[in-house]
Amino acid sequence: MSDSSPYTDARRDSVDDVGGGEPGRGSTTGAPRWVRASAIIALAIVLMVGLMLLLGSGKHGPGRHTSGDAGDPATPTRTMEFLTGRDRVPTFDGTGSGGHTPPAGGHGP
Amino acid sequence: MTTRPRLRKLALTAHIVSSVGWLGAVVVFLALGIAGLTSQDAQLVSAVYLAMEPAGWSVLVPLSLASLITGLVQSLGSKWGLLRHYWVLMKLGINLLASVVVLLYMQTLAFLADVASRTASAGGDLSGLRSASPVLHAGAGLLLLLAAATLSVYKPRGMTRYGQRRQHEQRKLWSEPLATS
């Protein structure tokens, strides 16, 4: 870029490279067409992503995209247990071993 | 506020290097994400998700912040300014958005690495770990960075209201000494 103005350097390469540099061409009031088109595209993308998040029960972030019960980022072990088939379901006796807990008196002699 | 030509060249070089480096890193993340999603090799899938977190902290985050900071220095130190031209303003928006997403996404990468580590050590099935998230995020990031690079090269015309006002003021300043002499 030149020292005095960005426009002089841009002109050296190509007049069309100048961002609003040419008097009367870039200095029109209001945003140019490409800015308006970009804004519309950006708005459409934001709306689409927002809609997808809403339809996806509003969850976004760690674990949302993995399969299995990985919705809670604070407890990654749940995903691991799910994946390894060692899901534990809390039981009334507080052992947390769920289906692996032998029923009372079931295994007794 | 303008800087000396040598200093400006240095800032421009730093901005180009960090931005192109960031773009390249995103391409690598996209490739890793695709490998993690499609590979049948459980060890490879695990390695992909384990590698993403440290690579994110050591490459993606520093390059994104470097690109943002050098871009701010570059624009404020030249006559292009930060808020005068739509293309500079749009690049700033893209850079800010992408940097924030990268920082927020590190949480997801940490989660994936943790799950991969635990599942691999337990000898579990990694098929449930496969995630399209890194591919989606890296793909969107790549599109954004390509748009920013295109804006830098083409510099589409269009001045903001602030830019027009500043240009008008500068023209007045330049014409006054000529009128008085």
Side-chain angles (χ1 to χ4, degrees), chain A residues 6 17 19 28 34 67 76-77, chain B residues 79 85 114 118 128 155 157 164:
Chain A
D17 281 354
T28 53
W34 72 269
S67 57
T77 48
Chain B
K79 294 268 177 148
H85 297 267
D114 192 34
R118 287 165 185 269
K155 298 179 178 63
R157 65 171 70 91
Q164 288 174 32

Side-chain angles (χ1 to χ4, degrees), chain A residues 1-4 6-7 16-20 23 25-28 31-32 34-35 38 61-63 65-67 70 76-77 79-80 83-84 86, chain B residues 5 8 74 79-80 85-87 90 107-108 111-112 114-115 118-119 122 124-125 128-129 131 133 137 151 154-159 164 167 171:
Chain A
M1 284 180 207
S2 96
D3 295 345
S4 58
Y7 315 134
D16 287 335
D17 281 354
V18 180
R25 290 186 70 187
S27 305
T28 53
W34 72 269
V35 175
S38 304
H65 305 281
T66 52
S67 57
T77 48
T79 308
M80 191 272 288
L83 295 174
T84 53
R86 284 185 280 164
Chain B
R8 199 162 56 243
Q74 177 64 20
K79 294 268 177 148
W80 288 105
H85 297 267
Y86 280 112
W87 72 268
M90 204 167 277
Q107 205 186 351
T108 300
F111 174 79
L112 288 171
D114 192 34
V115 173
R118 287 165 185 269
T119 311
D125 178 20
L129 179 63
S131 170
S133 171
H137 284 80
L151 284 171
Y154 284 90
K155 298 179 178 63
R157 65 171 70 91
M159 287 183 103
Q164 288 174 32
Q167 192 184 45
R171 277 185 186 157

